[in-house]
Amino acid sequence: MPEAKVAKLVSETKTARLTIGDKTLELPILKGSEGPDVIDISKLYSESGYFTFDPGFLSTAACESKITYIDGDEGILRYSGYDIAELAEKSDFSEVCYLLLYGDLPNPEQKKDFTNKVTHRTIVHEQLQFLYRGFPRRSHPMAILVGAVASLSAFYHDSLDINNPEHREIAALRMIAKMPTLCAMAYKYSIGHPFVYPQNRLTFSENFLHMMFSNPSEPYVVNPVLARAFDKIFILHADHEQNASTSTVRLAGSSGANPFACIGAGIASLWGPAHGGANEAVINMLVEIGSKDKIPEFIAGVKDKKRRLMGFGHRVYKNYDPRAAVLRKACYEVLQEVGKQDEPLLGIAMELERIALEDKYFIDRKLYPNVDFYSGIIYRALGIPSQMFTPLFALARTVGWVAQWKEMIEDPKQKIGRPRQLFTGAPHRPFVELSKRK
Ligand code: CMC
């Protein structure tokens, strides 16, 4: 085999030329509608005997997609061409779900029909409450959700045939509709309150607040400002192209696994503190810092690599996360509405942000606040315990997972995902009998 160190890529208009030793391969360059072109290496192994090596997928496009576009250097996020800030301002979560699933904003009739289909699927099988009751009260709600969502495949057999478009459609609607119910049930269970049934007269976000905060003993009126804030937060989290949890859903689904099991896998991936678990970690960090005078010491620890500044940095955004910009504003609106404009944690967050944006360590590494930096402050102001923050992320991201899963299944070129590896373990060696091992 020729030495790989002499490999070089020459980019041309339509093909890239890869020379390894005395062999030159022509690799097609594929053009997207926006963003960097990609070099198609799918035949590289069969034609050269080489794999590519890209741990963490820093330079690898794993699929083709029409759903979400990100330009991380410019801080741009668009769903099907629509700018995230504009959607958050002018649209609502129901329309955004439709947009992600079907590629266009709905007309009034389509919106009514879609909303109706989701609304009438919010209730979950009564048997699920027994599944919840099997968990310790102090369980992390993400632990419950991983199990509860995967368990839906045991309840809804009529939407498990992934090759049937009608089944796929119903599974998608069910997932979007039932996630708020499952999340609110996890919360109610943790505080020992009765589960609250969904209300079909309410919007998606109103219904979620109702299931979280009402109880059978007294009437509950949803605050429209808070419902709108939630709608905005859900829109901002709805999809984010091929992040870790979405890639997990796609990889799980590529084997033909049912959608409920795949979303369960996505929830597990989201849980980690480098991903969706960061919103909970941000609040824990702010509480731990405790006061502004402790910030310099904390930042020094971050620069010494003893810890990370949670809610900062992103694999793709090397600029202000556009979702964080919207949430920063929403944060002020919500705190004003609930009379907590002097919330000390917000003061600490603002000061951390100010210092980080001026500090060479963060500037050199292009570390800006991400979506998780502000969401936790809003949730906390609304009395939502920090363990529920990541479930809220999962609730909103479900539509993105489902849309990406559907897109993958409906792609005629779809294959099972099967990455390869650079093996660095022991080469072949003879087996040693137990008595002869040292
Ligand atoms: N605090 C301090 N230093 C950081 C941070 C941070 N939050 N993030 C990255 N760095 C440093 C890192 O130490 C490294 O420095 P050096 O070059 O000296 O070794 C450099 O920046 C590059 O870091 P990396 O780990 O190679 O970057 P990545 O692209 O692999 O990681 C990340 C991205 C999101 C995992 C990381 O920035 C991080 O851990 N952030 C904190 C957790 C967080 O807020 N996650 C939420 C992401 S947004 C929500 C979502 O989409 O899930």
Side-chain angles (χ1 to χ4, degrees), residues 226 274 307 318:
L226 302 188
R307 57 201 315 165
K318 301 303 169 196

PDB file of all heavy atoms in Angstrom, residues 226 274 307 318:
ATOM      1  N   LEU A 226     -46.393  34.354  29.354  1.00  0.00           N
ATOM      2  CA  LEU A 226     -45.534  33.201  29.609  1.00  0.00           C
ATOM      3  C   LEU A 226     -45.726  32.126  28.535  1.00  0.00           C
ATOM      4  O   LEU A 226     -44.771  31.487  28.099  1.00  0.00           O
ATOM      5  CB  LEU A 226     -45.809  32.630  30.999  1.00  0.00           C
ATOM      6  CG  LEU A 226     -45.607  33.620  32.153  1.00  0.00           C
ATOM      7  CD1 LEU A 226     -45.710  32.921  33.493  1.00  0.00           C
ATOM      8  CD2 LEU A 226     -44.255  34.332  32.043  1.00  0.00           C
ATOM      9  N   ALA A 274     -22.550  18.234  27.625  1.00  0.00           N
ATOM     10  CA  ALA A 274     -21.989  18.965  26.484  1.00  0.00           C
ATOM     11  C   ALA A 274     -23.086  19.305  25.472  1.00  0.00           C
ATOM     12  O   ALA A 274     -22.873  20.085  24.549  1.00  0.00           O
ATOM     13  CB  ALA A 274     -20.905  18.135  25.809  1.00  0.00           C
ATOM     14  N   ARG A 307     -12.351  23.632  34.641  1.00  0.00           N
ATOM     15  CA  ARG A 307     -13.777  23.458  34.344  1.00  0.00           C
ATOM     16  C   ARG A 307     -14.136  24.232  33.094  1.00  0.00           C
ATOM     17  O   ARG A 307     -13.327  25.026  32.602  1.00  0.00           O
ATOM     18  CB  ARG A 307     -14.617  23.960  35.514  1.00  0.00           C
ATOM     19  CG  ARG A 307     -14.315  25.425  35.856  1.00  0.00           C
ATOM     20  CD  ARG A 307     -14.735  25.742  37.230  1.00  0.00           C
ATOM     21  NE  ARG A 307     -16.051  25.176  37.432  1.00  0.00           N
ATOM     22  CZ  ARG A 307     -16.624  25.016  38.624  1.00  0.00           C
ATOM     23  NH1 ARG A 307     -15.976  25.395  39.698  1.00  0.00           N
ATOM     24  NH2 ARG A 307     -17.821  24.519  38.745  1.00  0.00           N
ATOM     25  N   LYS A 318     -19.195  29.929  15.677  1.00  0.00           N
ATOM     26  CA  LYS A 318     -17.980  30.616  16.103  1.00  0.00           C
ATOM     27  C   LYS A 318     -18.313  32.104  16.140  1.00  0.00           C
ATOM     28  O   LYS A 318     -17.549  32.973  15.760  1.00  0.00           O
ATOM     29  CB  LYS A 318     -16.814  30.295  15.157  1.00  0.00           C
ATOM     30  CG  LYS A 318     -16.503  28.793  15.097  1.00  0.00           C
ATOM     31  CD  LYS A 318     -16.193  28.171  16.482  1.00  0.00           C
ATOM     32  CE  LYS A 318     -16.155  26.656  16.466  1.00  0.00           C
ATOM     33  NZ  LYS A 318     -16.238  26.023  17.791  1.00  0.00           N
TER      34      LYS A 318
END
